[in-house]
Amino acid sequence: MRHTLPIAPQFYVTAPQPCPYLEGRMERKLFTALQGDNADKLNDSLSQQGFRRSQNVLYRPSCAECSACLSARIDVSAFTASRSQRRTMNRNEDLERRATSPWASEEQYELFRTYLDSRHAEGGMADMDVFEFAAMIEETPIRSRVVEYTNRDSNALVGVSLTDVLADGLSMVYSFYAPDCPKRSMGTYMILDHIKIAQEADLPYVYLGYWVPGSQKMGYKSKFSGLEVYIGGKWQKMKDPSTFNADTHPLSTDPIAEQVANIHLPDTRPTT
């Protein structure tokens, strides 16, 4: 019996836009569509090569004059909670976790709007309406979950994470939380809880998205032990965050054609 092999994914580059992390820099992304019967395999493979998912697209920073954005993940086996992180866990013992299928709700959207208005009022998602929010949550061609955190006494929703389940870990695609509870440190807490979920499921990694050396917005990610960053085509253990510098040299990024040629794609050939 003859089989038709699937066409390899095509990669594209976005138009340059102002970078939200480094003033005066322009941001550009390399991306491909995430679709078809082999979407899970493609997502697994490219996530291991520094890509992130946004709905049905996989992307990775590919700025012409900068390579400061580094994909980050936590090696669960190497993680040990700090004293501060243990206190964060204790402060949130009154919360209950519930993992559901990726369906959006009005309660989620209300929390999302409150979070954006408080933390990212000038960001690229500031104008997102309820329909766009639903698309962000629900348009996923792979195994995804919405992890909700509610107050056990009031049943109020205080945190949400859209999470992908990969072959080698959990990928926290997007998280938001109640901004009026700063003592909870919900951003940190949700990562700590995802580490716990990964440990329970025997998954080795928790993918956190991108980390930029020197960025205050992303500084909390470097406080987790067991952190690894994707540099030069491989994952490297982060021993001391202060030793990493934002690479803004104009020759620090390989040409697009060379980047695409070095991407390893999963084997999607039929087994029979």
Side-chain angles (χ1 to χ4, degrees), residues 202-240:
D202 291 325
L203 293 171
Y205 300 108
V206 174
Y207 289 81
L208 301 180
Y210 296 105
W211 174 71
V212 178
S215 171
Q216 293 184 348
K217 293 181 180 180
M218 297 186 176
Y220 68 95
K221 296 181 181 181
S222 64
K223 297 180 181 180
F224 288 85
S225 60
L227 193 71
E228 299 180 349
V229 289
Y230 192 78
I231 303 177
K234 62 182 180 180
W235 291 96
Q236 300 182 26
K237 295 184 182 300
M238 180 185 289
K239 296 181 180 179
D240 183 356

Side-chain angles (χ1 to χ4, degrees), residues 236-251:
Q236 300 182 26
K237 295 184 182 300
M238 180 185 289
K239 296 181 180 179
D240 183 356
S242 65
T243 63
F244 285 81
N245 295 314
D247 193 346
T248 57
H249 191 277
L251 300 181

